[in-house]
Amino acid sequence: MADDIAWRKDSHLDLCATDAVAFRERTTLLEEVGLVHTSLPELSLDEVSLETRLLGRKLRAPIVIASMTGGTERAGEINHALAAIAEKRGYAFGLGSQRAMQKRPESGDTFRVRDVAPTTLVLGNLGVVQAREQSSEAIAALVSSVGADALFVHMNPAQEVVQPGGDRDFRGGLETFARLVRELPFPIVAKETGCGVSREVARALRGVGVRTVDVSGAGGTSWVGVEALRAAESDGAEAQALLGELLWDWGIPTAASVALTASEGLHPIATGGIKTGLDVARAIALGARAAGIARPLLAAYLSGGPAAVEQVLERIERELRAIMLLTGARDLDALRSKPRVLGPALTRWLA
C-alpha cells in the first residue's frame, strides 16, 4: 500500500504538469465576473496594496501556493522549492496530503519545509475520511511534526469514487469537522479538491465552527480526470475509467463556489483554475480572501525551475495591481466593495 501511494503521488505530478487533466467543457465562470472600469481612479499604482490577512496572518499578496504533493523524493524537492518562494514573496503555502507521510514515516522530510520557510503560513493536509479514523491527539502530532500553522482537511468524494481502491464510505464527515474545530488548537480549513463547495455544505461547515474554506472549484484541474487517466492505465479498472470519463467535468465552478461560501459568512480561498491576476481580482471581488494556485506553478517549475515560477507569480501580481488601479481599489477590501456585473451562467448558479 505504501509503495502504491508513492507511485500514485509521482503519477499525479506527471499528469498535473499538463493540460491533459484540465476540465473539458466546464469553466471556472470567473470570465463571467465583469469589473467596472474607472477613468479617474485618483490613485498612484505604487499606492495599491495587495496585503491581506488569512487565518490571522498577514500575507504580502493574496496568494496561496496551493496543496500539490509530498511523499516521494521528487515531491520533496518540489515542496522545498515552492515553499522557499512562498517565504521570499510573503505568500501562504499548502502541503499535499500527509496520508503518504503516515503510511511511510520515512517520507516525512518531504513535507517538512520550515528550514526554507521559517515565517511562512504553512497549512498541513489530511483527508476528512482519514481524520475521522484518527484521534485529535494523533492529528495534532501530525501537524506539529511538520511545523504547520493550520490544517487543510480535504473533502474529495468524487476523486475517491473514481480512484481504483479509493475510499467509498464518507459518513461522519461533518462530525469530524466539528470535533477537530472543538479539540484542536489551530485553525481547521475545509478544502475541496476540484469540485467546489456548495451553499448547503458551506452552511453546515459554518454551523460546526469552520471559518475558512478552500473551495477548489471546477474549471481548473479535474482530479476526477486525473484518476480516470490512471484507471485507464490500470489492469481491471475499466469501470472506474468509464465512470471518470462520465464525471470528468463534475463540480461547482470556482466563481460560483467563492460567491456561495462567502454569502454564508465563510472566508473563501479561491483555488481552481486561477491563472492570471484578472482571475485573482475577480475572485477577490466575489469575496475571496486569497487565491490558491497550483498547476501553473508546477508546470513552470518542471519546465524552468524556481526562476520560471517567480516569473509567473510576478506577472500575476503585476496584473492584479493594474486591475485594482483600473477599478479605483486602493486595497483588497475596496476591491470587494466595487460594483461588478455577473454573466447569466454565474447568476443561475447563485440564484
Side-chain angles (χ1 to χ4, degrees), residues 3 17 20 31 38 42 55 68 72 96 108 129 159 166 191 199 203 223 228 233 243 261 294 300 304 311 321 326 350:
D3 289 341
E31 72 277 8
T38 178
E42 300 294 344
L55 301 171
M68 282 183 253
T72 70
V129 171
Q159 179 187 2
K191 174 177 175 58
R199 187 193 303 276
R203 189 174 297 156
W223 281 94
E233 297 173 354
L243 181 61
T261 54
Q311 286 179 357
R321 195 180 301 274
L326 295 175
L350 302 184

Side-chain angles (χ1 to χ4, degrees), residues 70-90:
T72 70
E73 182 178 350
R74 182 186 182 201
E77 174 192 311
I78 293 169
N79 271 342
H80 280 77
L82 296 181
I85 291 171
E87 175 77 14
K88 176 182 177 181
R89 301 187 67 89

Side-chain angles (χ1 to χ4, degrees), residues 164 225-238 240-242 245:
V226 171
E227 299 301 346
L229 292 176
R230 289 188 56 252
E233 297 173 354
S234 303
D235 293 337
E238 293 84 0
Q240 298 309 116
L242 288 171
E245 286 290 330

